[in-house]
Amino acid sequence: RKTLSPRLFPVYGLVLLLSWLARPTPAGFVAGGLLIAAGEGLRVWGAGPLVKNDLLTVTGPYAYVRNPLYAGTFLVGAGFALAAGGLAGAVVMPVGLVLFFAYYFPYKERIESARLERAYGVPYTLYRAAGPALVPSLTPWRPAEGVLAEASWSAARFSEKTTSSAVSSSPLWNLTPFFRKNLYVWGSRISQRS
């Protein structure tokens, strides 16, 4: 069972600030929604082949990027900042970038890389050296034949993971309530033009 973590208080504060400062425009809302959808898609794709603690997963999105779940989370956050528009994007996005790249991601990368290296040794070391951390490569990484077993995408593994609950409870599914105060403004602007 997960609880509120004091380490995430800055993130909670950014979400509150984002919703308070939100002044979305239709174009920003659509562009942000596309980034959010892409991020969620990457997270869903990344959760399916993941066999935590039993297999070094290097198939699916892991063949292109070592951390597709974090890359997807980053896209979702960037999408919300873009969709929020105005000061929300201008203030929250830079602060979010600093928190993500200066604290959260290096911390997670250090801990997870050490755990994976202990568990899988040389195959993980080769994978880590060849695979980019967050920005996908254009060509997939392929291990030497017979070195690693492969796992294909599985709805059962996806539904087993806390990732599936994070995806399904993501604010993506609650975009309308998040921007409800601005939907009226958009409607008013459109009706005034008519």
Side-chain angles (χ1 to χ4, degrees):
R1 184 180 126 139
K2 292 192 174 195
T3 59
L4 291 178
S5 169
R7 285 190 327 226
L8 292 176
F9 285 165
V11 174
Y12 304 143
L14 283 175
V15 169
L16 289 173
L17 185 62
L18 184 69
S19 61
W20 182 61
L21 294 174
R23 299 294 181 267
T25 63
F29 189 79
V30 168
L34 291 173
L35 273 180
I36 293 166
E40 289 292 352
L42 184 55
R43 289 181 53 76
V44 167
W45 187 29
L50 187 59
V51 185
K52 277 188 174 179
N53 305 320
D54 292 329
L55 182 69
L56 178 59
T57 305
V58 297
T59 58
Y62 296 90
Y64 297 90
V65 63
R66 288 194 327 265
N67 300 289
L69 299 177
Y70 295 135
T73 299
F74 174 76
L75 287 174
V76 168
F80 272 105
L82 183 60
L87 279 176
V91 172
V92 175
M93 186 63 168
V95 173
L97 286 171
V98 168
L99 285 173
F100 186 81
F101 286 110
Y103 172 71
Y104 180 77
F105 184 72
Y107 170 78
K108 288 296 212 173
E109 173 81 356
R110 186 175 61 250
I111 288 172
E112 290 180 11
S113 290
R115 181 182 61 77
L116 291 168
E117 193 163 347
R118 280 191 308 275
Y120 303 108
V122 172
Y124 176 73
T125 303
L126 294 171
Y127 172 66
R128 184 169 191 226
L134 283 174
V135 178
S137 68
L138 297 177
T139 57
W141 182 78
R142 303 256 188 246
E145 194 168 320
V147 173
L148 298 168
E150 292 188 9
S152 58
W153 198 92
S154 162
R157 278 196 300 274
F158 172 74
S159 64
E160 287 172 0
K161 310 233 178 335
T162 56
T163 303
S164 67
S165 63
V167 168
S168 64
S169 64
S170 166
L172 171 63
W173 312 117
N174 299 304
L175 277 174
T176 302
F178 181 73
F179 295 113
R180 183 178 292 141
K181 67 181 180 183
N182 294 292
L183 293 176
Y184 172 76
V185 173
W186 292 348
S188 296
R189 286 183 190 155
I190 292 169
S191 66
Q192 287 174 359
R193 290 180 189 158
S194 306

